[in-house]
């Protein structure tokens, strides 16, 4: 009888451990997947920017972002004009903010981060948001938002009321 209880307890313990490990492993796998997707988006964006490939840059954006921003082509052209040269360093540290939703079996996942880039002797700050899965509307998949700031602009924004409102 004691042996049966011990066996059942042992099996239950192993089941709990395996269950917890699988959740942790899935979480680690998902984090690594998101990190890779985001780093690929950064690399693809800067590769196209350095090549002054407007079509390449545009292709990275979601269809929805392109439709919503009627001046996106002009913005890309302007960015290419003022972009000094290839970045010396892209200082993305892997810190990602995730935004996830699930309703009736449909899933949406987006990741974003703000990171510095050292380019042409100056630091710039870049905010990039990437939707990598959207069962609700596949037109949302791709870069949905990107913002460039000089170090001074970023400092001013970071300490502004607009930033405070966005954090609320």
């Amino acid at each position: 009888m004691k042996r049966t209880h011990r066996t059942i307890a042992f099996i239950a313990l192993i089941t709990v451990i395996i269950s917890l490990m699988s959740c942790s492993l899935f979480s680690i796998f998902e984090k690594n997947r998101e990190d890779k997707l985001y780093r690929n988006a950064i690399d693809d964006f800067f590769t196209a920017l350095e090549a002054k490939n407007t079509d390449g840059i545009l292709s990275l954006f979601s269809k929805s972002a392109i439709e919503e921003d009627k001046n996106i082509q002009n913005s890309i052209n302007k960015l290419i004009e003022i972009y000094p040269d290839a970045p010396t360093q892209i200082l993305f540290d892997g810190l990602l903010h995730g935004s996830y939703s699930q309703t009736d079996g449909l899933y949406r996942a987006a990741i974003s981060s703000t990171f510095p880039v050292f380019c042409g002797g100056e630091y710039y700050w870049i905010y990039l948001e990437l939707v990598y899965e959207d069962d609700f509307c596949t037109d949302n998949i791709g870069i949905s938002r990107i913002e460039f700031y000089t170090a001074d602009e970023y400092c001013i924004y970071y300490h502004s009321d607009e930033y405070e409102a966005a954090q609320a």
Side-chain angles (χ1 to χ4, degrees):
M1 187 72 166
K2 277 186 172 180
R3 187 176 197 143
T4 305
H5 287 293
R6 284 186 192 162
T7 304
I8 291 172
F10 180 73
I11 291 171
L13 179 63
I14 295 297
T15 303
V16 168
I17 290 171
I18 289 172
S19 183
L20 291 173
M21 285 177 59
S22 66
C23 290
S24 296
L25 290 174
F26 178 76
S27 175
I28 290 168
F29 172 75
E30 187 64 19
K31 169 85 173 115
N32 288 340
R33 177 175 169 245
E34 287 182 338
D35 186 74
K36 184 176 181 178
L37 288 168
Y38 198 81
R39 287 179 191 275
N40 286 345
I42 292 170
D43 290 344
D44 292 347
F45 180 82
F46 279 102
T47 298
L49 182 58
E50 290 166 28
K52 301 189 181 308
N53 181 350
T54 56
D55 292 335
I57 294 170
L58 193 62
S59 72
L60 299 171
F61 284 86
S62 69
K63 290 179 185 175
S64 297
I66 294 168
E67 289 172 7
E68 288 173 17
D69 185 352
K70 301 300 180 200
N71 290 322
I72 196 166
Q73 189 69 51
N74 292 336
S75 297
I76 291 171
N77 290 337
K78 185 177 177 182
L79 177 62
I80 287 173
E81 281 177 30
I82 64 171
Y83 187 67
D85 52 25
T88 308
Q89 289 181 299
I90 298 172
L91 301 166
F92 173 64
D93 60 8
L95 292 175
L96 289 171
H97 170 74
S99 173
Y100 313 95
S101 61
Q102 186 170 359
T103 306
D104 297 328
L106 299 176
Y107 184 70
R108 181 182 195 276
I111 46 181
S112 62
S113 187
T114 302
F115 56 93
V117 171
F118 189 71
C119 180
E122 300 278 335
Y123 277 99
Y124 297 90
W125 289 86
I126 298 170
Y127 171 83
L128 187 140
E129 181 178 83
L130 174 69
V131 175
Y132 66 88
E133 189 170 339
D134 194 333
D135 298 331
F136 299 97
C137 179
T138 57
D139 286 351
N140 293 331
I141 296 173
I143 294 175
S144 57
R145 189 168 137 206
I146 190 164
E147 298 172 4
F148 281 79
Y149 300 94
T150 64
D152 290 339
E153 289 170 336
Y154 187 70
C155 187
I156 290 167
Y157 171 72
Y158 186 74
H159 296 290
S160 71
D161 292 337
E162 182 183 347
Y163 176 81
E164 294 296 325
Q167 299 306 307

